[in-house]
Amino acid sequence: MGASPWQVARHLWAESLLIFVLGGGVGLAFASGGVNGLLAIAPTNIPRITGAGVQMAEFAFALTMAVVAGLGFGMYPALKARSEDPSRGLREGTGSSEPRGTGRFRRALVVVEVALSVILLVGAG
């Protein structure tokens, strides 16, 4: 409540960036471990199998994309926080400072997310 809009936006960007970079790092660790695991069980008669692996260029690209995505997706909440008056929701007594109609959009996003998750699970199965 006492922070300036710029301080709130900066905090939201930093939080988003941290989450995306940690997620990218965990993904890279899984990718490297997965490739090493597959190389351990792969037959030796496959041509150029010893050259397979996650190279430094892929690491750099993945981390760059994690930073870009973190900054990009962190921009929406940061801009939203700068334009909202946090005390408005408290004065109204509703507990929410969001305008009417945004709940429908969020519910639609949840439906799409669940549908895509089911499709991925069925495809993986």
Side-chain angles (χ1 to χ4, degrees):
M1 290 291 293
S4 71
W6 174 246
Q7 289 172 329
V8 173
R10 193 174 58 199
H11 172 74
L12 289 170
W13 268 330
E15 180 181 334
S16 176
L17 186 62
L18 178 69
I19 290 170
F20 273 82
V21 168
L22 287 176
V26 169
L28 285 170
F30 277 130
S32 179
V35 168
N36 290 338
L38 288 174
L39 286 175
I41 62 171
T44 57
N45 60 355
I46 297 176
R48 295 185 301 227
I49 191 71
T50 58
V54 181
Q55 305 298 321
M56 207 39 105
E58 287 92 12
F59 276 114
F61 177 76
L63 286 178
T64 302
M65 288 297 106
V67 169
V68 168
L71 290 176
F73 284 104
M75 191 176 298
Y76 175 74
L79 292 176
K80 183 98 170 139
R82 290 188 72 197
S83 66
E84 291 289 325
D85 180 21
S87 63
R88 189 180 102 203
L90 295 173
R91 281 193 307 263
E92 292 174 357
T94 61
S96 174
S97 62
E98 298 201 14
R100 291 184 170 216
T102 57
R104 186 177 303 154
F105 180 68
R106 284 191 177 176
R107 284 192 301 267
L109 283 177
V110 169
V111 168
V112 169
E113 184 177 326
V114 170
L116 288 173
S117 298
V118 169
I119 290 171
L120 284 172
L121 284 172
V122 168

